[in-house]
């Protein structure tokens, strides 16, 4: 594999035109660079050879090994500071540093087939203040979020409301996302407006802010009856952070101003 120039890499977004003429997008989850030839590997999984990639096709996440020449690059997630070079077959072209990144998105409206193209990332507002695997700062320290604990306010269609922690909400089903739990595109976080579905019994231990007579009767006599609830509000309780490093402080900074490394 050492002499092969890899055209696509992990998490590259690629596309192809299907036999029916439809545009299909997918994410590269493996190329031949780190493919194992160990016979003990999963026999049901087709191995990736030189010139091939394994792609998870959006939105269902079905995986397929395809030749590199059969797909085209749609997006590559570069970050400032990444070392890059223009890929020219057989040539050791000049390398450089990525200094700036401008991101444009194709945004699909949830619950519809409507897609808005060419939206600048600066114009988008994240629905989540925190989530796992993002960098944050505190008193000059930089860390990686490993876990997030939150409480969710859930609203029934009749106006009843209950507050539960995110571990309870994980037992509910997202009615708009029926994908396999192992799907590369399956999301496990929560967002305002999300519609969940499950038995009222699973919410019994929550803090009931409002409870209509109908829901109250159901809780008592039919606890296994399932309802649709909408995520109305997310209140973050705590973060688990692995602190990595501290920002530079000048020699004139007093020890009192320099904060100790925060705990996890």
């Amino acid at each position: 594999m050492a002499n092969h120039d890899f055209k696509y890499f992990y998490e590259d977004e690629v596309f192809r035109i299907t036999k029916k003429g439809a545009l299909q997008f997918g994410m590269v989850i493996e190329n031949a660079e780190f493919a194992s030839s160990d016979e003990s590997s999963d026999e049901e999984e087709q191995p990736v050879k030189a010139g091939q990639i394994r792609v998870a096709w959006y939105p269902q996440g079905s995986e397929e090994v395809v030749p590199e020449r059969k797909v085209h690059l749609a997006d590559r997630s570069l970050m400032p500071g990444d070392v890059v070079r223009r890929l020219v077959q057989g040539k050791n072209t000049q390398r450089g540093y990525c200094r700036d990144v401008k991101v444009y998105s194709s945004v699909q409206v949830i619950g519809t087939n409507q897609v808005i193209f060419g939206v600048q990332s600066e114009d988008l507002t994240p629905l989540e203040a925190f989530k796992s695997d993002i960098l944050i700062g505190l008193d000059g320290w930089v860390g990686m979020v490993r876990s997030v604990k939150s409480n969710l306010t859930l609203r029934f269609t009749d106006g009843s409301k209950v507050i539960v922690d995110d571990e309870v909400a994980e037992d509910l089903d997202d009615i708009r996302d029926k994908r396999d739990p192992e799907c590369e595109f399956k999301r496990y976080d929560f967002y305002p407006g999300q519609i969940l579905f499950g038995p009222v019994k699973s919410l019994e231990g929550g803090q009931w802010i409002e409870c209509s007579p109908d829901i109250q009767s159901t809780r008592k006599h039919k606890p296994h009856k399932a309802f649709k609830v909408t995520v109305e509000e997310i209140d973050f309780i705590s973060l688990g952070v692995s602190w990595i490093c501290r920002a530079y402080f000048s020699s004139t900074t007093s020890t009192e101003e320099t904060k100790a490394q925060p705990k996890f």
Side-chain angles (χ1 to χ4, degrees):
M1 302 291 181
N3 296 325
H4 179 78
D5 285 328
F6 297 98
K7 188 175 181 180
Y8 302 111
F9 303 90
Y10 177 66
E11 289 192 341
D12 277 354
E13 182 183 333
V14 296
F15 70 92
R16 68 179 177 184
I17 305 299
T18 65
K19 294 180 180 179
K20 296 182 179 180
L23 184 63
Q24 186 178 30
F25 287 93
M27 183 179 70
V28 177
I29 56 177
E30 185 183 9
N31 65 11
E33 183 176 10
F34 301 109
S36 173
S37 58
D38 189 353
E39 295 180 356
S40 63
S41 60
D42 190 350
E43 296 180 356
E44 296 182 359
E45 189 174 82
Q46 182 181 350
V48 179
K49 301 178 182 179
Q52 295 180 331
I53 53 175
R54 190 184 309 279
V55 179
W57 295 109
Y58 184 83
Q60 298 303 324
S62 57
E63 299 181 10
E64 181 184 7
V65 175
V66 298
E68 291 180 341
R69 67 179 186 278
K70 295 290 187 179
V71 299
H72 306 277
L73 183 66
D75 178 70
R76 176 164 291 158
S77 298
L78 296 174
M79 298 292 290
D82 284 351
V83 179
V84 297
R85 73 179 177 95
R86 184 180 296 276
L87 183 61
V88 179
Q89 191 71 26
K91 294 186 178 181
N92 187 19
T93 51
Q94 186 176 14
R95 290 166 171 78
Y97 287 95
C98 180
R99 298 183 58 182
D100 188 29
V101 177
K102 293 187 181 297
V103 179
Y104 294 85
S105 305
S106 296
V107 182
Q108 181 176 357
V109 180
I110 292 180
T112 74
N113 292 324
Q114 182 179 358
V115 179
I116 305 172
F117 296 94
V119 180
Q120 295 189 45
S121 60
E122 293 88 347
D123 296 334
L124 298 174
T125 302
L127 292 177
E128 306 160 303
F130 303 101
K131 64 179 181 179
S132 298
D133 300 326
I134 64 170
L135 292 171
I136 63 171
L138 176 65
D139 295 331
W141 285 89
V142 178
M144 179 72 73
V145 176
R146 299 302 183 189
S147 62
V148 179
K149 295 293 183 182
S150 61
N151 285 340
L152 279 64
T153 301
L154 306 179
R155 185 186 73 252
F156 288 75
T157 54
D158 68 353
S160 299
K161 294 183 182 181
V162 61
I163 299 176
V164 299
D165 62 48
D166 50 10
E167 291 184 357
V168 172
E170 287 175 358
D171 293 330
L172 305 178
D173 295 325
D174 185 338
I175 66 168
R176 293 195 180 109
D177 194 348
K178 303 296 185 181
R179 290 174 288 198
D180 188 276
E182 297 182 358
C183 174
E184 291 286 340
F185 307 109
K186 180 80 172 181
R187 60 179 299 155
Y188 295 96
D189 45 5
F190 302 100
Y191 57 90
Q194 184 179 17
I195 300 178
L196 306 176
F197 181 79
V200 70
K201 180 181 179 180
S202 62
L203 308 176
E204 190 59 40
Q207 177 186 350
W208 289 85
I209 304 175
E210 300 177 26
C211 187
S212 68
D214 288 342
I215 296 296
Q216 197 167 13
S217 176
T218 302
R219 290 169 59 190
K220 184 177 181 180
H221 302 290
K222 297 180 180 179
H224 296 288
K225 184 177 180 179
F227 289 87
K228 291 181 182 179
V229 292
T230 302
V231 178
E232 188 173 74
E233 186 178 355
I234 300 175
D235 183 21
F236 292 98
I237 304 302
S238 64
L239 302 176
V241 183
S242 295
W243 297 104
I244 303 171
C245 62
R246 191 181 68 178
Y248 170 77
F249 288 91
S250 68
S251 58
T252 59
T253 304
S254 66
T255 55
E256 294 181 356
E257 295 176 352
T258 304
K259 303 291 185 180
Q261 179 176 352
K263 297 181 180 179
F264 180 82

